[in-house]
Amino acid sequence: MLGLIYGLIEGSTSGWTAIPVMSLIVGAGAFGLFCVRQRTAENPLIIPSLLTNRGFTSGLLLGLIYFAAVNGFAYVLSLFFQLQLHLTSLQASFGLSP
């Protein structure tokens, strides 16, 4: 994950030089190895047969959509507090704490 995130951040901000591209390649390769390891492991993190259950998969997707929306809204609201209402970051965090 570190390789993927670093590659995406550095590539988009300072250009797609060799380091961000190699970081993405290494991160994707490591993720692929992790997936292979989980398929062959005696005790994987998630039992692969669970992913064939429609209820479980639907719950995972619904949770992903919900938490992405909530976190995105909190980010936008924090920026609104700071940029439009001219609050400090501490004041904005207190405003978002409830």
Side-chain angles (χ1 to χ4, degrees), residues 62-73:
L62 185 64
L64 176 70
I65 292 167
Y66 172 78
F67 286 110
V70 167
N71 288 325
F73 180 71

Side-chain angles (χ1 to χ4, degrees), residues 38-39 44-57 60:
Q38 287 301 303
R39 284 183 159 258
L45 295 175
I46 295 179
I47 301 169
S49 62
L50 280 176
L51 297 175
T52 60
N53 184 340
R54 290 184 79 161
F56 183 77
T57 307
L60 283 178

Side-chain angles (χ1 to χ4, degrees), residues 1-10 20 23-29 31:
M1 291 304 294
L2 177 66
L4 291 173
I5 292 171
Y6 176 79
L8 289 173
I9 290 173
E10 282 299 311
S23 178
L24 282 173
I25 291 170
V26 169
F31 181 69

